[in-house]
Amino acid sequence: MKNVFIAERLQSFKYALNGLRHLWKKEINFRIHIFATITVVTALSWFVEITRTKWMLIIICVGIVLAAEAFNSAIERICDLISP
């Protein structure tokens, strides 16, 4: 029973990683968000010398933006399938 639970969780992670891989390959906006995060946000945060707490808040906000982009891409794909 315990092995089935672990196998199902690992399968869930596999699906999630496949989704992120697909998002990276197919969605240019996702790549733009990643690039902006790495370059602009990181450089400005380093330049301004923000605290650890503010870094954590920035990481949370970046995660929310990337998740919103993923949801938006998924909804766009569904709409493309439904209405030609």
Side-chain angles (χ1 to χ4, degrees):
M1 175 91 172
K2 188 175 183 179
N3 291 337
V4 173
F5 177 78
I6 292 172
E8 289 174 350
R9 297 296 77 76
L10 290 175
Q11 189 66 30
S12 296
F13 278 105
K14 182 179 175 183
Y15 291 142
L17 290 175
N18 284 338
L20 288 174
R21 192 175 304 120
H22 177 79
L23 194 61
W24 177 260
K25 288 181 180 179
K26 301 291 182 179
E27 298 297 328
I28 187 71
N29 289 336
F30 185 75
R31 286 183 269 170
I32 291 170
H33 285 272
I34 294 289
F35 178 76
T37 299
I38 291 171
T39 57
V40 177
V41 174
T42 305
L44 286 175
S45 298
W46 179 76
F47 180 73
V48 177
E49 298 178 3
I50 63 173
T51 63
R52 288 183 187 174
T53 304
K54 290 181 182 176
W55 259 113
M56 287 187 280
L57 292 173
I58 287 174
I59 290 169
I60 290 169
C61 289
V62 166
I64 291 170
V65 168
L66 294 176
E69 182 63 38
F71 284 125
N72 183 40
S73 297
I75 291 170
E76 286 177 358
R77 294 284 174 148
I78 290 171
C79 289
D80 289 343
L81 286 173
I82 293 173
S83 60

